[in-house]
């Protein structure tokens, strides 16, 4: 039979990925998390800030506290930088889980059922594996980027899209941190730019189960392995090697920038190295018939 072109296979796999139940579950979970976090931020950050404003404005001009109020801004409501609650930490600790739910386990299921072997014959090994990998990457990236973008839109409905005054001590990103100028002067662009980084790492984590099919026999183990790896990086590697924290993906992927010393050059270097390793394993799976 005629082997499909790479474009045809990619299109087919993309449709399957974004129509899958896993993607629907991940997307709805992300939306629900963003909505709940927005309600919490509105009640516990915005409304409290407005009460403080009304109190300050009601003071006499001669009062020492008159005029000491600072406006709540969009970054304080956005889940990517809102650090008053546990929603930010929950989202980024759960990042691999959101990423793998949509489509990462599909190759495992198709291989076990025999469907993958049929696709290798009908479509060609290179076309099938490449299409599957791209669909997994983009579905995983979208699944984790969605709650960040939705939270940004919801926050913009009630918070001004202006930068935080540095002297207000309301910011989580310091003056010397990466993209601090964007954070203070153009927070929406900061949020969108960092969401791009999160998208890439959603794709990176989503690829891991795809690359584990050849040596992991347990479906649950294949699905949960990226989460275990992420927790190991977040807790174990960070505590053992704190001096390299700025190069730890589990740390720098959070827009709140949990550690000092994070640079865009460092992120790019680590990301290129990780993608190179994943790309090499993907290439091997296309070259060696016994790899999968």
């Amino acid at each position: 039979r005629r082997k499909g072109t790479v474009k045809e296979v990619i299109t087919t796999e993309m449709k399957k990925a974004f129509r899958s139940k896993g993607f629907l579950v991940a997307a709805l979970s992300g939306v629900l998390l963003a909505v709940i976090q927005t309600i919490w931020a509105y009640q516990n950050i915005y409304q409290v800030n407005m009460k403080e404003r009304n109190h300050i404005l009601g003071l006499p001009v001669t009062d020492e506290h008159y005029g000491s109020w600072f406006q709540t801004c969009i970054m304080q409501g956005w889940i990517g930088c809102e650090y008053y609650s546990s929603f930010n930490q929950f989202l980024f600790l759960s990042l691999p889980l959101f990423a793998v739910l949509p489509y990462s386990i599909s190759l495992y299921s198709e291989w076990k059922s025999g469907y993958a072997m049929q696709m290798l014959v009908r479509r060609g090994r290179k076309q099938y594996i490449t299409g599957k990998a791209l669909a997994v990457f983009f579905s995983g990236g979208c699944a984790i980027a969605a709650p960040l973008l939705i939270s940004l839109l919801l926050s913009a409905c009630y918070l001004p899209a202006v930068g935080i005054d540095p002297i207000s001590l309301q910011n989580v990103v310091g003056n010397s941190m990466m993209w601090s100028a964007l954070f203070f002067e153009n927070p929406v662009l900061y949020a969108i730019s960092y969401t791009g980084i999160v998208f890439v790492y959603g794709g990176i984590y989503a690829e891991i189960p795809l690359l584990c099919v050849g040596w992991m026999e347990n479906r649950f183990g294949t699905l949960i392995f990226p989460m275990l790896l992420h927790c190991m990086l977040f807790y174990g590697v960070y505590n053992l090697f704190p001096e390299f924290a700025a190069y730890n993906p589990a740390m720098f992927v959070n827009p709140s920038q949990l550690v000092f010393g994070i640079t865009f050059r460092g992120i790019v270097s680590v990301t290129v190295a990780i993608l190179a390793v994943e790309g090499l394993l993907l290439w091997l799976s296309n070259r060696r018939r016994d790899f999968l």
Side-chain angles (χ1 to χ4, degrees), residues 92 95-96 98-100 104 133-146 148-149 179 191-208 230 249-250 252-255 264 266-276 278:
F92 286 98
L95 186 153
F98 278 94
V100 302
S104 295
L134 288 175
V136 167
F137 185 92
F138 280 98
S139 61
C142 288
I144 190 61
L148 291 171
L149 294 176
W179 295 346
I192 294 174
S193 299
Y194 225 111
T195 299
I197 295 175
V198 177
F199 172 88
V200 172
Y201 274 87
I204 286 174
Y205 277 113
E207 292 289 343
I208 295 175
H230 183 68
F252 66 61
V253 75
N254 193 320
F264 185 62
I267 292 177
V268 170
S269 300
V270 174
T271 303
V272 169
I274 294 174
L275 288 174
E278 289 194 340

Side-chain angles (χ1 to χ4, degrees), residues 74-75 161-164 173-175 177-194 257 264:
I74 192 169
M75 284 293 96
V162 296
I164 297 174
V173 176
N175 294 334
M177 292 184 172
M178 186 183 77
W179 295 346
S180 59
L182 277 182
F183 181 85
F184 290 111
E185 298 172 12
N186 197 333
V188 174
L189 184 56
Y190 175 89
I192 294 174
S193 299
Y194 225 111
Q257 299 191 45
F264 185 62

Side-chain angles (χ1 to χ4, degrees), residues 50-193:
M50 288 295 103
K51 289 180 181 179
E52 182 184 359
R53 171 184 176 274
N54 295 333
H55 171 71
I56 294 296
L57 292 179
L59 295 175
V61 178
T62 55
D63 193 290
E64 62 177 348
H65 296 293
Y66 183 83
S68 60
W69 173 79
F70 292 97
Q71 186 178 42
T72 301
C73 303
I74 192 169
M75 284 293 96
Q76 292 171 271
W78 181 49
I79 193 171
C81 286
E82 185 271 293
Y83 225 65
Y84 301 99
S85 69
S86 59
F87 290 101
N88 173 280
Q89 294 183 50
F90 175 79
L91 176 63
F92 286 98
L93 279 176
S94 305
L95 186 153
L97 189 58
F98 278 94
V100 302
L101 277 178
Y103 205 52
S104 295
I105 203 68
S106 62
L107 181 60
Y108 180 91
S109 301
E110 291 175 4
W111 192 256
K112 292 299 181 182
S113 66
Y115 177 81
M117 184 60 68
Q118 297 180 36
M119 291 300 294
L120 293 179
V121 175
R122 294 178 182 180
R123 294 296 191 178
R125 191 176 194 84
K126 180 179 180 181
Q127 289 88 333
Y128 176 63
I129 299 298
T130 300
K132 180 71 70 176
L134 288 175
V136 167
F137 185 92
F138 280 98
S139 61
C142 288
I144 190 61
L148 291 171
L149 294 176
I150 292 170
S151 175
L152 185 66
L153 290 173
L154 292 176
S155 298
C157 292
Y158 70 97
L159 291 173
V162 296
I164 297 174
D165 191 327
I167 68 173
S168 69
L169 301 180
Q170 296 173 317
N171 53 296
V172 295
V173 176
N175 294 334
S176 61
M177 292 184 172
M178 186 183 77
W179 295 346
S180 59
L182 277 182
F183 181 85
F184 290 111
E185 298 172 12
N186 197 333
V188 174
L189 184 56
Y190 175 89
I192 294 174
S193 299

Side-chain angles (χ1 to χ4, degrees), residues 22-33:
F23 183 80
L24 181 63
V25 170
L28 291 178
S29 299
V31 171
L32 181 61
L33 180 65

Side-chain angles (χ1 to χ4, degrees), residues 246-267:
Y247 300 94
N248 187 336
M251 307 305 294
F252 66 61
V253 75
N254 193 320
S256 294
Q257 299 191 45
L258 306 178
V259 295
F260 290 99
I262 296 173
T263 63
F264 185 62
R265 180 180 296 179
I267 292 177

